[in-house]
Amino acid sequence: MLVQCELCPKGCIILPGHRGECRIRINLDGKLTAVTYGYPCSLHVDPVEKKPLFHFFPGSRILSLATVGCNLHCKFCQNWEISQADPENVEAFYLPPESLPKTASSYDCRLIAYTYTDPVAFYEYTLDSCRASKKAGIKNVLVTAGYLNTPPLKELYAFSDAANIDLKAYSDSFYQQICGGSLKPVLNALVLAKEMGVWLEVTNLIIPTLNDSDKDIQALCQWMKTNLGKDTPLHFSRFFPMYLMQNLPPTPSRTLEKAFQIAKSVGLDYVYIGNLSTKNGENTFCPNCRKKLIQRDRYVILENNLEKGQCPGCQTKIPGVWS
Amino acid sequence: MTRRYFIKILVSLFGLIFIANFSLIKRILFKKYTIAFKPDAYPGGLKSIDPKAVLLSTKWKG
């Protein structure tokens, strides 16, 4: 019996014994089976700034996990060894959703991130883990490309506290040619997160020659401002040659600084530069009085002047989840 | 009605019948799932969780 997976916009039709594009949803005897359910292959304790989330419990430890598999096939993937692998080739732990809150607490983590590959590919495991963790008072964070159909996404957002969604480019042809996806579902995922009250930060990896033109960056920032609001944090991230894109150089620092300036000129309040040490690219400033509120160096908080989520200088409320 | 129009209508009609049948065939042949079943076992090898391995995976202690 053929099965059709309706989880993501790809809608894979899968022959018996075969798998969907994500490699982890397999037609076993006419039943669609999520073979990595309960079996993460990566489990780490990270700083929340690494996700990156800069306005969500700054300085916190976050238990981060992933299973094998991804429904996109980005040629620049930084975690391709697990995202583009078959589950039978990667060792995993057995960690059922109900054990996850206890595991997080044992590592002194009150946050859990579903990350590294894409939590929407191991959807059932993410959803059940989010349910169990929320019940235990632990916050759930999705680090995702947001390539999912709306009904399952709504269900997942209902149990999620924050998301960092990767907006890879504001271009459908980029998604088609470089990632094997399309732009529209990602834009829907971004807007839906905002509408459902999930704390949202956006990451854009800038890749030389592919999505680094002023026009591309301007369009992305303008769309963000119009649809997500000027107070949604945007992280420009530096590209390093990886996987199938080893022919391109790392993103020059001047490109990232230029992107930063464009985003600011469009009117976004919270813009950051990641994967590169810059003077102010990682710091949070008050959009009203320009006072430095949080000073960071990579993943370390050097100074946090926020008082109850407000600027101590002018009492402007800074959007985020601070404690 | 000219012969040309007749052929056009005929082709359109065949197209419509094909599309209608295709979705019908799809409905009969494909079982649709959004939520997948849980597996009986993991297809890859299993390793036990070593707490030290997890904590040593980052030097960052908060």
Side-chain angles (χ1 to χ4, degrees), chain A residues 257 273 276-283 285 292 295-296:
Chain A
E257 278 155 14
I273 295 175
L276 178 73
S277 203
T278 51
K279 196 180 169 202
N280 281 319
E282 293 164 312
N283 299 335
F285 291 90
K292 191 191 285 174
Q295 186 177 355
R296 303 177 182 86

Side-chain angles (χ1 to χ4, degrees), chain A residues 1-6 13 25 30 32-35 37 39 44-45 59 61 87 90-93 107 123-124, chain B residues 26 28-39 42-47 49 51 54-55 57-58 60-61:
Chain A
M1 181 79 173
L2 294 170
V3 301
Q4 182 169 27
C5 178
E6 294 191 314
I13 292 168
R25 301 171 77 77
L32 184 67
T33 309
V35 294
Y37 183 100
Y39 296 102
H44 300 274
V45 176
R61 295 158 63 87
V90 181
E91 282 191 323
F93 316 107
Y107 295 128
Y123 179 80
E124 293 79 8
Chain B
K26 255 178 85 173
I28 294 164
L29 285 181
F30 304 163
K31 224 169 167 182
K32 297 187 177 201
Y33 292 97
T34 300
I35 301 294
F37 288 90
K38 295 172 193 174
Y42 181 68
L46 283 185
K47 51 187 173 186
I49 297 177
V54 174
L55 280 182
S57 67
T58 174
W60 189 84
K61 302 290 178 201

Side-chain angles (χ1 to χ4, degrees), chain A residues 285-301:
Chain A
F285 291 90
C286 174
N288 186 38
C289 68
R290 304 302 307 150
K291 184 180 169 60
K292 191 191 285 174
L293 300 174
I294 303 178
Q295 186 177 355
R296 303 177 182 86
D297 183 14
R298 296 275 165 147
Y299 307 135
V300 181
I301 305 276

Side-chain angles (χ1 to χ4, degrees), chain A residues 171-275:
Chain A
S171 152
D172 196 52
S173 62
F174 179 96
Y175 269 90
Q176 284 181 26
Q177 289 163 20
I178 311 292
C179 306
S182 55
L183 175 64
K184 204 175 170 206
V186 182
L187 300 182
N188 289 343
L190 287 158
V191 172
L192 191 62
K194 206 76 185 172
E195 283 173 2
M196 288 187 67
V198 176
W199 175 253
L200 175 68
E201 300 192 21
V202 178
T203 297
N204 175 232
L205 182 78
I206 298 188
I207 306 170
T209 71
L210 294 180
N211 64 354
D212 64 341
S213 74
D214 291 8
K215 201 179 143 199
D216 291 340
I217 295 163
Q218 176 105 22
L220 185 142
C221 296
Q222 195 59 57
W223 181 88
M224 264 192 71
K225 190 185 171 194
T226 310
N227 295 278
L228 307 176
K230 67 188 179 94
D231 57 359
T232 301
L234 171 61
H235 302 258
F236 288 116
S237 196
R238 190 183 193 199
F239 161 84
F240 286 98
M242 199 65 79
Y243 189 37
L244 302 177
M245 287 216 161
Q246 307 219 13
N247 55 323
L248 295 175
T251 317
S253 56
R254 64 178 179 281
T255 307
L256 290 152
E257 278 155 14
K258 181 193 68 182
F260 182 95
Q261 292 307 329
I262 291 172
K264 283 288 184 188
S265 67
V266 165
L268 296 180
D269 283 342
Y270 306 100
V271 186
Y272 302 102
I273 295 175
N275 281 347

